[in-house]
Amino acid sequence: MDWGGSNRIIGRLNGFLAARRLIEAAAIGVVLIAAYLVFAFRGQQSGVAYVQTRSGCRFSAIYNFGDSNSDTGSVSATFGRVVSPYGETFFGKPSGRCTDGRLIIDFIAEKLGFPYLTAYLDSIGADFAHGANFAASGSTIQHLDAKLCSAGFNPLTLNVQILQFEQFKARSIESYAQAKNREYKTSLPKPESFSRALFTMDSGQNDLHAGLMSMTEEQVTASIPHIIDRFSVALEQLYKLGARAFWIHNTGPIGCLPVFVVTHPPEPNNADPTGCIKSYNEVAQEFNKQLKEGQLQDAMLIYVDIYSVKYSLISHGKNEGFTDPLGYCCGRLGVVNCGEKAMVNGTEIYGAACGNPSEYISWDDVHYTEAANKWVASHILDGLFSEPQVPIDEACYHP
């Protein structure tokens, strides 16, 4: 699915608010037209480590949790480096990310004036003064069992990421207090900074993907409450560890991923207006509906409707300069993975990238290009697709 950068296996106006209700009622066509009309590219801004906003927010750091949609190097450092051509568009080399350049979490960091987050498990050149990234490609919300393991998902599940953060916080506080080397001290978060940090989360796609690979849509839907329960436990654990400001992405339109729609095109009665697999997207919508039901007292929880933004991009991709909204740039599905080699009829072939990744939404069979990530980021950071509608730089918790 999204295991370690490869693709082995294989989410304002009154008119806008009304459109969102229609989305939840599955009237996708009407919603897309309404949502598309309110899109306005706002770009990204860079700045200094601490950002004072008009609401008084002063985030000290970002701590991120999730899967390959936001992994900046955890799995690459742990299980083997993500290879070229990953990273070629922006970094000019592999960067631990499962795309050709930057991820949405990178644009979030830029918006808040932070450097890109260092993966917690990457010890080379690590600087955690402004936060850390615990996301791991191929991870799930559910605890890893034999079934998930055999399907290729990794053990760095969301609960493990929370345990990593717990240790990170405790050891950072200890080390900061004991550090005599000033340079070393500046690479650590200040003990008081944890309560003023933003906690970003993007998990769930792999849980649905795993289910759709082995169960019917009805069975996957029936499993969603259990997945949401595990997510709620993770939120509560972070809250107990001092987290108060949460920026939570729902899952995207999984039925539009090339790994599904290209290899197994939907039957006419199961295709939505964009050509995606309707029943798969309905599973994602049900997951998202249940996801935003969670609450925490004395905390700010912002739920971001990534699904609507991504689906709108796919539906209107050609108008935005993406020539093949359901296509992909790197590798050959069913033949060779992006950046890998394979023998076909006695001939070695290479999973090369296209020459124009900025014209594709999907980089490989399950991950977006930098161009698509930038487009999505530009439409979520102002808060128009959030509940409550709060821009990310005003998403702090005020007691």
Side-chain angles (χ1 to χ4, degrees):
M1 180 167 178
D2 60 1
W3 168 240
S6 67
N7 313 304
R8 290 186 178 87
I9 318 178
I10 349 215
R12 241 188 317 204
L13 306 168
N14 292 332
F16 170 73
L17 293 174
R20 292 195 49 166
R21 296 189 186 97
L22 289 174
I23 289 175
E24 294 175 357
I28 294 175
V30 175
V31 171
L32 291 175
I33 294 173
Y36 186 69
L37 290 176
V38 302
F39 284 165
F41 186 88
R42 288 171 169 77
Q44 312 301 317
Q45 73 179 51
S46 297
V48 293
Y50 296 96
V51 178
Q52 184 75 34
T53 71
R54 63 178 181 269
S55 70
C57 287
R58 190 178 173 86
F59 289 120
S60 57
I62 303 172
Y63 295 104
N64 182 68
F65 306 83
D67 52 32
S68 64
N69 288 318
S70 59
D71 180 3
T72 58
S74 289
V75 163
S76 183
T78 307
F79 298 105
R81 191 179 188 188
V82 174
V83 298
S84 179
Y86 287 91
E88 67 175 19
T89 296
F90 182 79
F91 299 98
K93 60 182 180 179
S95 65
R97 295 160 174 79
C98 296
T99 182
D100 60 313
R102 289 166 291 183
L103 301 168
I104 292 173
I105 187 63
D106 294 313
F107 293 110
I108 288 176
E110 288 185 11
K111 175 68 174 180
L112 296 179
F114 292 107
Y116 301 135
L117 295 184
T118 299
Y120 169 70
L121 295 176
D122 190 353
S123 61
I124 305 300
D127 184 348
F128 299 117
H130 310 296
N133 194 351
F134 300 87
S137 303
S139 68
T140 56
I141 294 174
Q142 303 169 85
H143 296 181
L144 191 72
D145 57 17
K147 187 176 182 180
L148 287 171
C149 185
S150 63
F153 297 95
N154 77 47
L156 301 176
T157 52
L158 183 58
N159 68 303
V160 173
Q161 295 174 32
I162 305 301
L163 290 173
Q164 290 174 338
F165 172 74
E166 182 176 16
Q167 180 177 187
F168 171 84
K169 180 181 179 181
R171 294 187 64 187
S172 294
I173 293 173
E174 292 171 2
S175 298
Y176 192 90
Q178 298 170 1
K180 297 180 180 179
N181 184 303
R182 185 174 181 277
E183 184 177 351
Y184 172 62
K185 203 169 188 176
T186 59
S187 69
L188 296 171
K190 295 180 179 179
E192 65 272 17
S193 72
F194 287 97
S195 62
R196 295 188 289 108
L198 178 67
F199 289 76
T200 54
M201 307 184 76
D202 190 332
S203 295
Q205 178 176 306
N206 287 344
D207 296 84
L208 301 185
H209 197 155
L212 292 170
M213 290 166 54
S214 59
M215 298 186 287
T216 66
E217 288 94 325
E218 292 77 11
Q219 290 172 323
V220 179
T221 299
S223 74
I224 289 175
H226 169 71
I227 299 171
I228 297 299
D229 284 344
R230 300 312 310 167
F231 187 82
S232 297
V233 169
L235 282 181
E236 291 169 2
Q237 289 173 325
L238 285 173
Y239 179 84
K240 291 177 180 178
L241 291 168
R244 290 297 181 270
F246 297 87
W247 182 267
I248 302 168
H249 293 176
N250 66 13
T251 198
I254 195 169
C256 300
L257 294 177
V259 68
F260 290 128
V261 77
V262 173
T263 56
H264 302 289
E267 296 294 330
N269 63 350
N270 194 29
D272 67 17
T274 67
C276 300
I277 302 174
K278 181 181 178 181
S279 59
Y280 283 17
N281 281 348
E282 289 173 346
V283 171
Q285 288 176 306
E286 179 58 29
F287 174 88
N288 293 339
K289 178 183 177 182
Q290 295 186 34
L291 178 72
K292 68 180 181 180
E293 293 175 356
Q295 297 293 329
L296 279 177
Q297 289 187 345
D298 301 322
M300 172 69 88
L301 270 66
I302 308 293
Y303 290 95
V304 185
D305 191 5
I306 285 281
Y307 181 100
S308 294
V309 179
K310 287 184 174 181
Y311 194 90
S312 296
L313 172 59
I314 293 167
S315 299
H316 302 282
K318 290 185 178 180
N319 294 335
E320 297 294 330
F322 296 94
T323 58
D324 187 1
L326 293 179
Y328 62 99
C329 173
C330 190
R332 291 171 57 186
L333 269 170
V335 180
V336 62
N337 294 326
C338 178
E340 297 184 358
K341 296 178 180 179
M343 296 296 296
V344 177
N345 297 326
T347 301
E348 184 179 79
I349 61 172
Y350 172 66
C354 64
N356 54 338
S358 65
E359 296 181 13
Y360 285 85
I361 292 173
S362 291
W363 164 248
D364 53 26
D365 59 351
V366 292
H367 305 109
Y368 278 24
T369 60
E370 172 177 288
N373 286 328
K374 184 176 183 179
W375 195 96
V376 172
S378 73
H379 292 91
I380 64 171
L381 299 184
D382 59 9
L384 286 180
F385 287 85
S386 300
E387 291 189 12
Q389 287 188 6
V390 177
I392 194 167
D393 52 7
E394 297 181 23
C396 56
Y397 169 67
H398 293 284

